[in-house]
Protein backbone atom coordinates (compact mmCIF):
# COMPACT_ATOMS: atom_id res chain seq x y z
CA UNK A 1 0.00 0.00 0.00
CA UNK A 2 1.27 3.43 -0.79
CA UNK A 3 0.13 6.61 0.97
CA UNK A 4 1.33 10.08 0.04
CA UNK A 5 1.08 12.93 2.58
CA UNK A 6 1.12 16.55 1.47
CA UNK A 7 2.10 19.19 4.04
CA UNK A 8 3.15 22.81 3.68
CA UNK A 9 2.79 24.88 6.82
CA UNK A 10 3.80 24.87 10.44
CA UNK A 11 0.48 23.51 11.81
CA UNK A 12 0.54 20.71 9.20
CA UNK A 13 3.81 19.31 10.54
CA UNK A 14 2.38 18.61 14.02
CA UNK A 15 -0.49 16.70 12.39
CA UNK A 16 1.78 14.72 10.08
CA UNK A 17 4.23 13.58 12.80
CA UNK A 18 1.96 11.09 14.63
CA UNK A 19 0.57 9.74 11.33
CA UNK A 20 4.11 9.19 10.00
CA UNK A 21 5.00 7.37 13.20
CA UNK A 22 1.89 5.16 13.09
CA UNK A 23 2.43 4.28 9.41
CA UNK A 24 6.16 3.62 9.93
CA UNK A 25 5.21 0.71 12.16
CA UNK A 26 3.49 -1.09 9.26
CA UNK A 27 5.78 -3.16 7.02
CA UNK A 28 3.23 -3.33 4.18
CA UNK A 29 3.02 0.48 3.88
CA UNK A 30 5.17 2.91 1.93
CA UNK A 31 4.59 6.49 3.06
CA UNK A 32 5.79 9.28 0.76
CA UNK A 33 6.02 12.83 2.14
CA UNK A 34 5.66 15.92 -0.04
CA UNK A 35 6.48 19.36 1.45
CA UNK A 36 4.92 22.12 -0.64
CA UNK A 37 7.22 24.81 0.81
CA UNK A 38 4.33 27.15 1.68
CA UNK A 39 6.30 27.77 4.87
CA UNK A 40 10.02 27.79 4.19
CA UNK A 41 11.87 29.69 6.94
CA UNK A 42 14.12 27.70 9.22
CA UNK A 43 11.97 28.67 12.21
CA UNK A 44 8.66 27.94 10.45
CA UNK A 45 9.59 24.63 8.82
CA UNK A 46 13.00 22.91 9.25
CA UNK A 47 13.03 23.37 13.02
CA UNK A 48 9.71 21.50 13.20
CA UNK A 49 10.89 18.55 11.14
CA UNK A 50 13.84 18.22 13.50
CA UNK A 51 11.86 18.74 16.69
CA UNK A 52 9.11 16.31 15.69
CA UNK A 53 11.68 13.77 14.43
CA UNK A 54 10.15 13.75 10.97
CA UNK A 55 12.24 12.30 8.18
CA UNK A 56 13.27 14.57 5.30
CA UNK A 57 10.40 14.98 2.83
CA UNK A 58 10.72 12.84 -0.31
CA UNK A 59 9.79 15.85 -2.44
CA UNK A 60 9.96 19.59 -1.92
CA UNK A 61 7.79 21.78 -4.17
CA UNK A 62 9.30 25.12 -3.03
CA UNK A 63 6.13 27.11 -3.78
CA UNK A 64 7.01 29.84 -1.24
CA UNK A 65 4.94 32.96 -0.64
CA UNK A 66 2.41 34.47 -3.01
CA UNK A 67 -1.24 35.35 -3.35
CA UNK A 68 -3.77 32.65 -2.50
CA UNK A 69 -4.30 31.92 -6.19
CA UNK A 70 -0.58 31.81 -6.97
CA UNK A 71 0.22 29.58 -3.99
CA UNK A 72 -2.68 27.19 -4.67
CA UNK A 73 -1.92 27.04 -8.39
CA UNK A 74 1.77 26.36 -7.82
CA UNK A 75 0.96 23.38 -5.57
CA UNK A 76 -1.52 22.03 -8.14
CA UNK A 77 0.94 22.28 -11.02
CA UNK A 78 3.96 20.95 -9.15
CA UNK A 79 2.19 18.09 -7.39
CA UNK A 80 0.55 16.60 -10.48
CA UNK A 81 3.71 15.03 -12.00
CA UNK A 82 4.64 13.57 -8.61
CA UNK A 83 1.23 11.94 -8.24
CA UNK A 84 1.58 10.71 -11.81
CA UNK A 85 4.87 8.96 -11.10
CA UNK A 86 4.17 7.81 -7.52
CA UNK A 87 0.60 6.53 -8.12
CA UNK A 88 -0.31 6.43 -4.41
CA UNK A 89 -3.38 4.53 -3.23
CA UNK A 90 -4.46 7.45 -1.06
CA UNK A 91 -3.31 11.07 -0.75
CA UNK A 92 -3.44 12.37 2.84
CA UNK A 93 -4.09 16.08 3.39
CA UNK A 94 -4.04 17.93 6.70
CA UNK A 95 -5.94 20.85 8.20
CA UNK A 96 -7.12 23.86 6.21
CA UNK A 97 -4.24 25.68 4.55
CA UNK A 98 -3.78 26.51 0.87
CA UNK A 99 -1.55 23.45 0.43
CA UNK A 100 -4.37 21.23 1.74
CA UNK A 101 -7.03 22.30 -0.74
CA UNK A 102 -4.57 22.33 -3.65
CA UNK A 103 -3.35 18.80 -2.93
CA UNK A 104 -6.91 17.50 -2.51
CA UNK A 105 -7.90 18.98 -5.86
CA UNK A 106 -4.81 17.71 -7.70
CA UNK A 107 -5.42 14.17 -6.41
CA UNK A 108 -9.21 14.15 -6.92
CA UNK A 109 -8.79 15.30 -10.54
CA UNK A 110 -6.51 12.32 -11.12
CA UNK A 111 -9.06 9.96 -9.54
CA UNK A 112 -6.76 9.27 -6.63
CA UNK A 113 -8.52 8.82 -3.32
CA UNK A 114 -8.15 11.61 -0.77
CA UNK A 115 -8.19 11.34 3.03
CA UNK A 116 -8.64 14.56 5.00
CA UNK A 117 -7.19 14.64 8.48
CA UNK A 118 -9.01 17.22 10.63
CA UNK A 119 -12.18 17.15 8.53
CA UNK A 120 -15.48 18.82 9.37
CA UNK A 121 -14.35 21.89 11.31
CA UNK A 122 -16.52 24.90 10.44
CA UNK A 123 -16.40 28.53 11.56
CA UNK A 124 -19.29 29.38 9.17
CA UNK A 125 -17.27 32.46 8.26
CA UNK A 126 -16.57 32.46 4.55
CA UNK A 127 -14.38 35.55 4.78
CA UNK A 128 -11.72 33.25 6.29
CA UNK A 129 -9.53 31.63 3.62
CA UNK A 130 -9.25 28.55 5.83
CA UNK A 131 -13.04 28.06 5.89
CA UNK A 132 -13.14 27.95 2.09
CA UNK A 133 -10.23 25.50 2.11
CA UNK A 134 -12.07 23.29 4.62
CA UNK A 135 -15.34 23.28 2.67
CA UNK A 136 -13.71 22.41 -0.65
CA UNK A 137 -11.31 19.84 0.79
CA UNK A 138 -14.13 17.99 2.56
CA UNK A 139 -16.21 17.91 -0.63
CA UNK A 140 -13.30 16.34 -2.50
CA UNK A 141 -12.34 13.80 0.15
CA UNK A 142 -13.20 10.10 0.18
CA UNK A 143 -12.29 9.60 3.82
CA UNK A 144 -13.02 12.31 6.36
CA UNK A 145 -11.25 11.94 9.70
CA UNK A 146 -13.08 14.19 12.17
CA UNK A 147 -11.30 15.34 15.35
CA UNK A 148 -14.46 16.03 17.37
CA UNK A 149 -18.13 15.06 17.44
CA UNK A 150 -19.24 18.53 16.29
CA UNK A 151 -17.00 18.16 13.23
CA UNK A 152 -18.49 14.76 12.36
CA UNK A 153 -21.98 16.24 12.78
CA UNK A 154 -21.15 19.15 10.47
CA UNK A 155 -20.19 16.71 7.74
CA UNK A 156 -23.38 14.70 8.17
CA UNK A 157 -25.34 17.95 8.07
CA UNK A 158 -23.72 18.79 4.73
CA UNK A 159 -24.95 15.51 3.28
CA UNK A 160 -21.63 13.67 3.19
CA UNK A 161 -22.39 9.93 3.29
CA UNK A 162 -21.94 8.49 6.77
CA UNK A 163 -19.65 5.69 5.55
CA UNK A 164 -16.99 8.24 4.58
CA UNK A 165 -16.94 9.97 7.98
CA UNK A 166 -14.73 8.64 10.77
CA UNK A 167 -14.69 10.24 14.22
CA UNK A 168 -11.14 9.37 15.28
CA UNK A 169 -10.03 12.15 17.65
CA UNK A 170 -7.41 14.85 17.39
CA UNK A 171 -3.93 14.21 15.96
CA UNK A 172 -2.65 17.55 17.35
CA UNK A 173 -3.22 16.09 20.79
CA UNK A 174 -1.20 13.00 19.75
CA UNK A 175 1.79 15.26 19.06
CA UNK A 176 1.21 17.14 22.27
CA UNK A 177 1.09 14.04 24.49
CA UNK A 178 4.13 12.58 22.71
CA UNK A 179 6.23 15.74 23.22
CA UNK A 180 4.96 16.87 26.62
CA UNK A 181 7.54 14.97 28.73
CA UNK A 182 10.36 16.57 26.73
CA UNK A 183 8.67 19.97 26.96
CA UNK A 184 8.39 19.63 30.74
CA UNK A 185 12.07 18.70 30.98
CA UNK A 186 13.07 21.98 29.25
CA UNK A 187 13.39 24.81 31.76
CA UNK A 188 12.05 27.58 29.57
CA UNK A 189 11.15 29.95 32.37
CA UNK A 190 14.83 30.16 33.34
CA UNK A 191 15.82 30.75 29.71
CA UNK A 192 13.62 33.84 29.67
CA UNK A 193 14.79 34.99 33.08
CA UNK A 194 11.38 34.38 34.62
CA UNK A 195 11.48 33.25 38.22
CA UNK A 196 8.01 31.74 38.22
CA UNK A 197 5.43 30.65 35.68
CA UNK A 198 3.32 33.79 35.97
CA UNK A 199 3.48 34.99 32.39
CA UNK A 200 1.26 35.28 29.32
CA UNK A 201 2.00 33.74 25.88
CA UNK A 202 0.71 35.42 22.72
CA UNK A 203 0.52 34.42 19.05
CA UNK A 204 -1.16 36.36 16.27
CA UNK A 205 -1.12 35.86 12.53
CA UNK A 206 -4.67 35.85 11.05
CA UNK A 207 -5.09 38.34 8.20
CA UNK A 208 -8.21 39.77 9.91
CA UNK A 209 -6.07 40.77 12.89
CA UNK A 210 -2.66 41.56 11.50
CA UNK A 211 -3.46 43.02 8.07
CA UNK A 212 -5.93 45.48 9.62
CA UNK A 213 -4.03 48.42 11.11
CA UNK A 214 -6.73 49.25 13.69
CA UNK A 215 -7.08 45.69 14.93
CA UNK A 216 -3.34 45.06 15.12
CA UNK A 217 -2.76 48.31 16.96
CA UNK A 218 -5.64 47.57 19.41
CA UNK A 219 -4.17 44.17 20.24
CA UNK A 220 -0.61 45.47 20.68
CA UNK A 221 -1.84 48.27 22.97
CA UNK A 222 -3.76 45.68 25.01
CA UNK A 223 -0.63 43.52 25.31
CA UNK A 224 1.38 46.53 26.52
CA UNK A 225 -1.16 47.11 29.28
CA UNK A 226 -1.27 43.45 30.29
CA UNK A 227 2.56 43.39 30.34
CA UNK A 228 2.56 45.95 33.14
CA UNK A 229 1.13 43.21 35.39
CA UNK A 230 2.84 40.12 33.91
CA UNK A 231 5.58 39.33 31.43
CA UNK A 232 4.07 38.82 27.96
CA UNK A 233 6.04 36.54 25.62
CA UNK A 234 5.03 37.02 21.99
CA UNK A 235 6.75 34.80 19.37
CA UNK A 236 5.99 36.78 16.22
CA UNK A 237 4.87 35.06 12.99
CA UNK A 238 6.73 36.38 9.88
CA UNK A 239 3.53 37.85 8.45
CA UNK A 240 2.87 39.73 11.71
CA UNK A 241 6.50 40.89 11.97
CA UNK A 242 6.25 42.36 8.50
CA UNK A 243 2.93 44.11 9.20
CA UNK A 244 4.20 45.58 12.49
CA UNK A 245 7.09 47.07 10.51
CA UNK A 246 4.94 48.34 7.64
CA UNK A 247 2.38 49.90 9.96
CA UNK A 248 5.14 51.22 12.23
CA UNK A 249 3.47 49.77 15.30
CA UNK A 250 6.02 49.53 18.09
CA UNK A 251 5.40 48.59 21.69
CA UNK A 252 5.80 51.76 23.76
CA UNK A 253 7.65 50.13 26.61
CA UNK A 254 6.73 50.58 30.22
CA UNK A 255 5.80 46.94 30.64
CA UNK A 256 7.46 43.59 29.97
CA UNK A 257 6.27 42.79 26.41
CA UNK A 258 8.84 40.65 24.58
CA UNK A 259 8.66 40.20 20.83
CA UNK A 260 10.47 36.93 20.04
CA UNK A 261 11.25 35.00 16.87
CA UNK A 262 8.94 32.04 16.15
CA UNK A 263 9.69 29.18 18.54
CA UNK A 264 10.18 25.47 17.96
CA UNK A 265 7.40 23.08 18.89
CA UNK A 266 8.89 21.74 22.13
CA UNK A 267 9.90 25.16 23.41
CA UNK A 268 6.47 26.61 22.57
CA UNK A 269 4.73 23.70 24.28
CA UNK A 270 6.93 24.10 27.32
CA UNK A 271 6.17 27.83 27.53
CA UNK A 272 2.44 27.37 27.03
CA UNK A 273 2.14 24.51 29.52
CA UNK A 274 3.67 26.69 32.27
CA UNK A 275 1.90 29.93 31.37
CA UNK A 276 -1.02 31.50 33.22
CA UNK A 277 -2.84 32.68 30.08
CA UNK A 278 -2.60 32.39 26.30
CA UNK A 279 -3.88 35.09 23.94
CA UNK A 280 -4.02 33.88 20.35
CA UNK A 281 -5.81 33.66 17.03
CA UNK A 282 -4.37 30.23 16.16
CA UNK A 283 -6.54 27.17 15.72
CA UNK A 284 -4.07 24.71 17.22
CA UNK A 285 -3.46 26.73 20.39
CA UNK A 286 -7.18 26.78 21.18
CA UNK A 287 -7.00 22.98 21.28
CA UNK A 288 -3.66 22.69 23.05
CA UNK A 289 -4.66 25.07 25.84
CA UNK A 290 -7.94 23.21 26.29
CA UNK A 291 -6.08 19.92 26.66
CA UNK A 292 -3.59 21.46 29.09
CA UNK A 293 -6.26 23.35 31.06
CA UNK A 294 -4.57 26.72 30.41
CA UNK A 295 -7.00 29.67 30.05
CA UNK A 296 -7.12 30.99 26.48
CA UNK A 297 -8.49 34.18 24.94
CA UNK A 298 -8.97 33.87 21.18
CA UNK A 299 -9.02 37.18 19.32
CA UNK A 300 -11.63 36.21 16.74
CA UNK A 301 -15.39 36.64 16.26
CA UNK A 302 -15.88 32.88 15.76
CA UNK A 303 -14.14 29.55 15.99
CA UNK A 304 -14.25 26.32 13.98
CA UNK A 305 -13.35 24.55 17.24
CA UNK A 306 -16.47 25.24 19.40
CA UNK A 307 -15.68 22.40 21.78
CA UNK A 308 -12.75 24.48 23.10
CA UNK A 309 -15.30 27.10 24.27
CA UNK A 310 -18.21 24.87 25.30
CA UNK A 311 -16.08 22.34 27.18
CA UNK A 312 -12.58 23.78 27.22
CA UNK A 313 -10.75 26.83 28.49
CA UNK A 314 -11.22 29.05 25.44
CA UNK A 315 -13.13 32.36 25.18
CA UNK A 316 -13.60 34.51 22.10
CA UNK A 317 -12.76 38.22 22.40
CA UNK A 318 -12.92 41.03 19.83
CA UNK A 319 -9.78 42.90 18.71
CA UNK A 320 -10.57 45.72 21.12
CA UNK A 321 -8.00 46.94 23.59
CA UNK A 322 -10.31 47.42 26.60
CA UNK A 323 -12.13 44.11 26.18
CA UNK A 324 -8.88 42.15 25.85
CA UNK A 325 -7.29 43.83 28.89
CA UNK A 326 -10.43 43.41 31.00
CA UNK A 327 -10.88 39.75 29.98
CA UNK A 328 -7.21 38.99 30.64
CA UNK A 329 -7.28 40.59 34.09
CA UNK A 330 -10.47 38.79 35.07
CA UNK A 331 -9.17 35.46 33.75
CA UNK A 332 -5.87 35.86 35.60
CA UNK A 333 -7.68 36.66 38.85
CA UNK A 334 -9.92 33.58 38.60
CA UNK A 335 -9.09 30.17 40.05
CA UNK A 336 -8.14 27.78 37.28
CA UNK A 337 -10.86 25.28 36.31
CA UNK A 338 -10.26 21.53 36.15
CA UNK A 339 -8.76 20.16 32.94
CA UNK A 340 -11.66 19.06 30.70
CA UNK A 341 -11.72 15.67 28.99
CA UNK A 342 -12.79 15.71 25.33
CA UNK A 343 -13.80 12.47 23.60
CA UNK A 344 -10.89 10.78 21.82
CA UNK A 345 -8.40 13.57 22.52
CA UNK A 346 -6.31 10.81 24.03
CA UNK A 347 -3.03 10.68 22.11
CA UNK A 348 -4.10 7.73 19.92
CA UNK A 349 -5.93 9.35 17.00
CA UNK A 350 -3.15 8.63 14.49
CA UNK A 351 -3.12 4.93 15.38
CA UNK A 352 -6.86 4.79 14.69
CA UNK A 353 -6.36 6.60 11.39
CA UNK A 354 -3.48 4.32 10.30
CA UNK A 355 -5.51 1.20 11.10
CA UNK A 356 -8.55 2.47 9.25
CA UNK A 357 -6.55 3.67 6.23
CA UNK A 358 -4.83 0.31 5.85
CA UNK A 359 -8.11 -1.58 6.14
CA UNK A 360 -9.64 0.75 3.54
CA UNK A 361 -6.72 0.60 1.11
CA UNK A 362 -6.32 -3.18 1.38
CA UNK A 363 -9.63 -3.56 -0.48
CA UNK A 364 -8.31 -1.92 -3.67
CA UNK A 365 -4.51 -1.42 -3.37
CA UNK A 366 -2.75 -2.21 -6.65
CA UNK A 367 -5.97 -2.15 -8.66
CA UNK A 368 -5.35 1.35 -10.08
CA UNK A 369 -7.32 4.55 -9.65
CA UNK A 370 -10.93 4.38 -8.52
CA UNK A 371 -14.12 5.07 -10.38
CA UNK A 372 -16.51 5.42 -7.47
CA UNK A 373 -15.72 6.40 -3.89
CA UNK A 374 -16.14 4.04 -0.94
C1 LIG B 1 -0.95 29.93 6.92
C2 LIG B 1 -2.34 29.32 6.79
C3 LIG B 1 -3.04 29.40 8.14
C4 LIG B 1 -2.18 28.81 9.24
C5 LIG B 1 -0.82 29.51 9.25
C6 LIG B 1 0.10 28.99 10.32
C7 LIG B 1 -3.44 29.52 4.59
C8 LIG B 1 -4.51 30.23 3.84
N1 LIG B 1 -3.17 30.02 5.81
O1 LIG B 1 -1.12 31.32 7.15
O2 LIG B 1 -4.26 28.70 8.06
O3 LIG B 1 -2.82 28.97 10.50
O4 LIG B 1 -0.23 29.34 7.96
O5 LIG B 1 1.30 29.70 10.37
O6 LIG B 1 -2.88 28.59 4.08
N2 LIG B 1 6.21 33.78 5.63
C9 LIG B 1 7.57 33.82 5.85
N3 LIG B 1 8.19 32.65 6.11
C10 LIG B 1 7.55 31.47 6.14
C11 LIG B 1 6.15 31.45 5.89
C12 LIG B 1 5.50 32.62 5.65
O7 LIG B 1 8.20 34.86 5.84
O8 LIG B 1 8.18 30.44 6.38
C13 LIG B 1 5.53 35.05 5.36
C14 LIG B 1 5.44 35.30 3.89
O9 LIG B 1 5.78 36.61 3.64
C15 LIG B 1 3.99 35.07 3.57
C16 LIG B 1 3.29 35.36 4.86
O10 LIG B 1 4.24 35.04 5.89
O11 LIG B 1 3.53 35.85 2.52
C17 LIG B 1 2.06 34.55 5.03
O12 LIG B 1 2.34 33.16 4.85
P1 LIG B 1 1.21 32.18 4.24
O13 LIG B 1 1.68 30.80 4.21
O14 LIG B 1 0.67 32.77 3.02
O15 LIG B 1 0.04 32.29 5.27
P2 LIG B 1 0.07 32.33 6.84
O16 LIG B 1 -0.35 33.68 7.24
O17 LIG B 1 1.34 31.78 7.41
Amino acid sequence: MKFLSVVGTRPNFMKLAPIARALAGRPDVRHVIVHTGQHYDLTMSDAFFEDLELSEPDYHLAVGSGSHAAQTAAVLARLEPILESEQPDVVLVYGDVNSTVAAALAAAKMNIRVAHIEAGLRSRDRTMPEELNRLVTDQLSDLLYAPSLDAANNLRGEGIPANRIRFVGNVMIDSLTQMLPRAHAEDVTARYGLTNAEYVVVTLHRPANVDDATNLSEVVRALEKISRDRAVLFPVHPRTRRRLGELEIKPNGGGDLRLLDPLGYTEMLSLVSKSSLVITDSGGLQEETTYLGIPCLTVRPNTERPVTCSRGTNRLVPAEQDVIVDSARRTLARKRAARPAIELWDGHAAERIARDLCEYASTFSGSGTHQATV
Side-chain angles (χ1 to χ4, degrees), residues 50-253:
E50 207 172 291
D51 222 7
L52 294 161
E53 294 170 357
L54 276 162
S55 59
E56 282 280 303
D58 299 275
Y59 297 92
H60 204 296
L61 308 184
V63 301
S65 299
S67 69
H68 286 270
Q71 216 168 40
T72 309
V75 175
L76 270 168
R78 295 180 198 183
L79 185 59
E80 193 180 51
I82 295 170
L83 297 180
E84 190 63 57
S85 72
E86 287 286 349
Q87 295 288 329
D89 292 303
V90 183
V91 167
L92 314 185
V93 298
Y94 300 79
D96 57 12
V97 300
N98 289 340
S99 299
T100 311
V101 69
L105 186 56
K109 288 248 175 155
M110 295 175 73
N111 283 330
I112 299 171
R113 294 162 176 91
V114 177
H116 184 200
I117 288 141
E118 203 184 77
L121 297 183
R122 296 289 182 267
S123 66
R124 321 227 179 267
D125 176 357
R126 290 196 182 198
T127 65
M128 273 184 90
E130 293 83 358
E131 181 73 354
L132 301 177
N133 293 344
R134 289 189 279 264
L135 283 161
V136 176
T137 303
D138 285 341
Q139 279 301 319
L140 295 172
S141 295
D142 298 278
L143 288 178
L144 296 104
Y145 291 112
S148 50
L149 279 170
D150 59 273
N153 287 337
N154 288 337
L155 295 170
R156 278 185 215 110
E158 288 172 16
I160 294 189
N163 62 352
R164 292 200 208 163
I165 305 167
R166 273 81 160 151
F167 167 44
V168 287
N170 190 337
V171 287
M172 282 286 277
I173 303 301
D174 291 11
S175 267
L176 190 156
T177 52
Q178 160 88 14
M179 303 298 273
L180 203 53
R182 206 201 290 174
H184 280 323
E186 280 198 23
D187 192 0
V188 277
T189 45
R191 191 174 310 158
Y192 290 98
L194 298 165
T195 46
N196 56 38
E198 295 280 289
Y199 58 87
V200 177
V201 175
V202 177
T203 78
L204 213 63
H205 74 278
R206 297 249 161 241
N209 285 328
V210 306
D211 292 354
D212 182 306
T214 311
N215 286 352
L216 185 57
S217 161
E218 283 285 304
V219 180
V220 171
R221 300 292 160 247
L223 298 179
E224 279 169 358
K225 284 192 181 157
I226 295 165
S227 78
R228 290 178 201 146
D229 302 331
R230 312 245 172 162
V232 175
L233 305 189
F234 181 4
V236 188
H237 188 284
R239 172 188 210 109
T240 312
R241 175 80 69 183
R242 206 180 52 235
R243 296 301 288 159
L244 286 171
E246 285 164 3
L247 299 168
E248 295 181 3
I249 299 173
K250 286 193 197 87
N252 286 330

